[in-house]
Amino acid sequence: MARSNKADRELTEVFNQLWALDTNRLTPGTDYVISLQGKAGYVAQGSNNARDRAHAPLFSYVNEEKLKSIETYAHFINLLDNYESSTGVSETVTTEELKENRLFIDAIMETDVMKCTHNYLVRKRLSPSNPQQFKKQLYDIWFKLYHRDRNGGEDSCGFEHVFVGETKYNHEIMGLHNWVQFYLQEKHGNVDYKGYKARQNKDTPDEDDHVLSLQFSWKGLVKPMGSSFIGVSPEFEVALFTIIFLMSTEKMTSVEVKVDEYVLELVVYRHGRSIATSYPKLLSSNNRDL
């Protein structure tokens, strides 16, 4: 396990550059509105009994027209539909889906966030300078299918686990760390938000926070706690986790960084040359101690 305990200065600097370049990040209170409601209680891993401290959805409003008018989100939303959520069910990848994977990579590569990421990785000698070869590297990290379940076929990929979410043996939620997917699943009645997670009462999050810890159920299964970026673009998340993934060959890498006002631990697990999972863990915000 590779880990840096103190806030990593170089990565903090790079990630804040990317934060500043993320012009596709949505504005809380304008482009979307969330309703945090109550603080969620303790739920043991594997238990599906959670008291609902939030009777309304997390997302009260999202400007979907704006979302779908931004190219990277439009391709991202297409991709969310393409994955079977049960691990162990072999993915049938159609030519159309392969094309959509590539269109998403093409779209994010047009953004300043990914151009800056590419330049940084080339400087660090972690990525090829040729944009086509870099796209292939991104493809292998995020879209190459692998066996997550030993008994099954090629049933998983990094993108699916991190952004879409999967269920394991129908009794545990894996992944689902993305706010757009959370919103869409909530809208379709598959996600039930149970409340925010915070250590101590002094640590109540704000409704304009861009990183939150949540408790929710998805298709009847409870996730006791999951952290997500809220409102950030898909390219921003791909950028952060790609950089951390390429920094190390360890099975698990975790770095502590301060992005904007958020002190985060960013965690990446690898599966060979692909991402197994990655997520943010909120340590503190606005100098609040979590």
Side-chain angles (χ1 to χ4, degrees), residues 14 17-19 21-24 72 104-122 127-129 131 134-135 137-139 141-142 163 233-243 246:
V14 173
Q17 270 181 334
L18 298 178
W19 180 266
L21 290 170
D22 192 18
T23 50
N24 288 337
T72 56
F104 173 68
I105 288 179
D106 287 345
I108 64 174
M109 280 301 294
E110 292 296 313
T111 66
D112 288 343
V113 166
M114 285 308 291
K115 285 176 182 163
C116 177
T117 299
H118 186 206
N119 288 341
Y120 174 71
L121 289 169
V122 170
S127 290
S129 59
F134 179 56
K135 284 180 185 181
Q137 186 184 32
L138 286 175
Y139 195 96
I141 292 171
W142 288 100
F163 294 116
S233 71
E235 58 268 26
F236 179 77
E237 293 192 62
V238 167
L240 259 56
F241 295 125
T242 299
I243 289 171
L246 289 170

Side-chain angles (χ1 to χ4, degrees), residues 225-238:
M225 180 163 141
S227 294
S228 294
F229 284 106
I230 308 285
V232 305
S233 71
E235 58 268 26
F236 179 77
E237 293 192 62
V238 167

Side-chain angles (χ1 to χ4, degrees), residues 38-85:
K39 182 179 167 184
Y42 171 76
V43 175
Q45 191 71 39
S47 159
N48 279 319
N49 295 325
R51 282 190 63 186
D52 200 339
R53 310 277 177 167
H55 295 296
L58 173 65
F59 286 93
S60 316
Y61 164 76
V62 173
N63 183 341
E64 270 196 57
E65 268 182 39
K66 177 164 183 174
L67 213 55
K68 289 174 178 169
S69 73
I70 301 169
E71 205 168 334
T72 56
Y73 286 100
H75 288 298
F76 182 75
I77 290 166
N78 284 343
L79 287 179
L80 295 177
D81 298 337
N82 287 346
Y83 291 92
E84 179 75 55
S85 87

Side-chain angles (χ1 to χ4, degrees), residues 197-250:
K197 289 296 287 182
R199 302 176 193 169
Q200 317 317 333
N201 293 332
K202 59 180 181 175
D203 179 56
T204 312
D206 300 323
E207 302 198 330
D208 61 355
D209 279 356
H210 279 291
V211 190
L212 292 174
S213 295
L214 313 168
Q215 187 179 98
F216 61 93
S217 67
W218 182 41
K219 300 181 179 176
L221 301 176
V222 170
K223 181 134 187 168
M225 180 163 141
S227 294
S228 294
F229 284 106
I230 308 285
V232 305
S233 71
E235 58 268 26
F236 179 77
E237 293 192 62
V238 167
L240 259 56
F241 295 125
T242 299
I243 289 171
I244 295 168
F245 175 83
L246 289 170
M247 272 171 44
S248 155
T249 53
E250 300 282 342

Side-chain angles (χ1 to χ4, degrees), residues 140-181:
D140 288 348
I141 292 171
W142 288 100
F143 290 108
K144 204 169 181 173
L145 287 174
Y146 54 77
H147 308 259
R148 194 180 286 280
D149 180 346
R150 278 178 203 158
N151 309 319
E154 294 194 322
D155 64 349
S156 195
C157 69
F159 180 90
E160 179 184 15
H161 183 84
V162 175
F163 294 116
V164 185
E166 302 170 282
T167 53
K168 187 179 181 182
Y169 312 123
N170 288 327
H171 66 65
E172 190 189 336
I173 299 173
M174 300 158 68
L176 211 172
H177 296 287
N178 177 263
W179 74 270
V180 178
Q181 171 70 338

Side-chain angles (χ1 to χ4, degrees), residues 120-133:
Y120 174 71
L121 289 169
V122 170
R123 260 200 338 268
K124 300 297 281 184
R125 300 191 168 172
L126 295 170
S127 290
S129 59
N130 176 306
Q132 290 313 116
Q133 287 177 339

